[in-house]
Amino acid sequence: MKISHEGLTPPSFTWTSDRENTAKVHEWIKPVTEIKSESDLNEADALLFGIPLSRSSISASAASEFPDFFRRSWKGFATYNIDADLDLSQLSVIDLGDTVQHVTNIEICHSNIIKAMRDIKSRHSRPLPIAIGGDHSVTAKLIQGLKEAEPETKIGLLQFDTHFDLRDPAELGPANGTPVRLMIEKGLIQGKHVHNIGLHGFFNTMDLKEFADTHNVNYTTMRTVRKKGIEKVVTQALDDLSKKVDVIYLTCDMDVLDMTYAPGVPAATPGGMRTDELFEAVFTAGQHQKVSAMDIVCLDPHKDFGQMTVKAGTHVFLSFLTGYALRNKQV
């Protein structure tokens, strides 16, 4: 008996769906190589770039690998957020790739990070820059680049972190434990324009608290967060900063999470945030008009278990963009 194959589609390993609103994140975020004109960059909602640096980490770390693992994880996420009943695909997000890093010279690496942020803000003032690190030393360099692009802009810092990051650069250099102190001492930000949320337990020394108090750094421990609620704490911090500064920079150190939720961080600790609290925190920050840049740092994929922490980092990114989309009422 002869079987007719007329009208049948040959089998394949990939196909195009006719259904609408089924985009995955890797299909939505456009690499810069696909961008046809400078105006497309200027009109984007966010410009994403990776910073593959972890040589300046105090703890042994492969956080330099996170940008790569972060991008790989996109296939596991849809652009639709059921919690907010909102699809992110109507935002324009462009991936600029990774900043150039030197094999051994940290000073050159940091210089390239400063230049990357300065160039982005100088040439494309509208889009919101989002950096994926890398260790926490990169935050000081990103804010320096922002300041060089906009010298008169007064910058505030909203920080989610287990640590103060106020250790002495004279002892450690521009490491991941020093960025906030480095910025205060260089005059990039003022202590009173810093809100650190997430400190807990036995992972900061008294001299760091004394430095914070002397320089009027604002901080909220996890014990206080749980009494007040994360949304209220973040909202109060944003309200306070918005009265004092022109723009707010958001930095999310993934070690703010409890180690049961984030095994893949170089300095994992018990007693930190739950993932749902961190997602709510960045979602709240994303909605604020003055939050103008962010980074996600200190995630080591090689210490991770089942990609738990990598997926949490991607969820942080998407939760922030959900708030950003609602802020701008674009979707």
Side-chain angles (χ1 to χ4, degrees):
M1 181 173 63
K2 186 176 182 181
I3 299 175
S4 172
H5 295 279
E6 185 177 352
L8 295 180
T9 302
S12 63
F13 292 102
T14 60
W15 60 89
T16 301
S17 173
D18 292 330
R19 293 177 297 167
E20 297 181 354
N21 301 322
T22 60
K24 294 284 190 176
V25 170
H26 73 286
E27 299 168 321
W28 156 54
I29 296 176
K30 298 299 181 187
V32 70
T33 52
E34 294 184 9
I35 302 306
K36 303 299 183 183
S37 66
E38 191 81 4
S39 64
D40 290 334
L41 289 171
N42 292 328
E43 294 169 7
D45 296 296
L47 297 178
L48 171 70
F49 58 105
I51 306 177
L53 174 68
S54 54
R55 294 180 190 85
S56 37
S57 176
I58 297 171
S59 306
S61 171
S64 56
E65 301 293 319
F66 178 46
D68 182 39
F69 278 75
F70 169 71
R71 293 182 178 103
R72 291 191 212 172
S73 75
W74 291 352
K75 290 185 178 181
F77 290 84
T79 58
Y80 174 67
N81 184 339
I82 195 169
D83 291 314
D85 189 20
L86 182 150
D87 198 305
L88 293 176
S89 62
Q90 295 180 51
L91 291 175
S92 171
V93 180
I94 298 172
D95 183 0
L96 301 178
D98 291 344
T99 56
V100 176
Q101 300 294 283
H102 193 273
V103 176
T104 56
N105 192 316
I106 295 174
E107 185 177 349
I108 293 175
C109 294
H110 283 165
S111 177
N112 289 343
I113 296 166
I114 294 168
K115 183 177 185 299
M117 178 61 92
R118 183 180 67 233
D119 289 351
I120 288 170
K121 291 304 295 182
S122 297
R123 297 173 61 181
H124 313 293
S125 59
R126 179 186 180 276
L128 188 148
I130 300 177
I132 305 298
D135 66 61
H136 215 168
S137 72
V138 307
T139 299
K141 306 309 168 184
L142 290 165
I143 289 181
Q144 183 174 339
L146 180 60
K147 191 71 173 177
E148 288 183 7
E150 302 173 352
E152 303 305 316
T153 298
K154 189 178 294 184
I155 301 170
L157 180 68
L158 178 61
Q159 177 182 359
F160 299 131
D161 207 326
T162 288
H163 307 97
F164 277 115
D165 286 352
L166 292 171
R167 296 175 72 170
D168 191 353
E171 296 179 8
L172 298 175
N176 66 330
T178 66
V180 179
R181 180 162 176 169
L182 189 66
M183 288 186 285
I184 291 172
E185 292 182 344
K186 292 185 71 170
L188 298 172
I189 57 175
Q190 298 181 45
K192 64 182 179 180
H193 297 158
V194 176
H195 273 267
N196 188 334
I197 299 171
L199 303 161
H200 61 272
F202 303 88
F203 310 107
N204 292 278
T205 57
M206 187 175 290
D207 64 310
L208 298 180
K209 177 190 179 299
E210 290 170 350
F211 183 94
D213 291 339
T214 299
H215 291 82
N216 301 309
V217 173
N218 303 281
Y219 52 90
T220 307
T221 66
M222 281 307 303
R223 187 178 186 188
T224 300
V225 167
R226 296 225 161 91
K227 287 180 178 179
K228 292 184 175 181
I230 188 66
E231 182 179 5
K232 183 176 181 180
V233 169
V234 173
T235 298
Q236 288 177 341
L238 290 166
D239 288 346
D240 179 64
L241 287 171
S242 65
K243 296 171 186 174
K244 301 173 181 176
V245 300
D246 302 313
V247 300
I248 300 170
Y249 185 103
L250 170 63
T251 181
C252 178
D253 187 324
M254 291 297 289
D255 75 17
V256 74
L257 288 171
D258 186 279
M259 63 194 304
T260 57
Y261 297 92
V265 298
T269 63
M273 281 190 191
R274 304 187 307 266
T275 48
D276 62 293
E277 291 173 316
L278 182 55
F279 301 156
E280 186 68 26
V282 296
F283 171 70
T284 302
Q287 294 176 73
H288 198 281
Q289 293 291 338
K290 285 197 174 183
V291 175
S292 302
M294 84 166 297
D295 65 48
I296 304 171
V297 298
C298 293
L299 197 162
D300 182 345
H302 295 295
K303 292 183 178 179
D304 209 0
F305 180 79
Q307 300 297 294
M308 288 170 58
T309 321
V310 169
K311 290 179 180 179
T314 302
H315 206 302
V316 166
F317 166 71
L318 297 173
S319 297
F320 173 79
L321 284 179
T322 301
Y324 180 62
L326 289 174
R327 175 213 307 193
N328 291 284
K329 298 180 180 179
Q330 297 182 46
V331 293

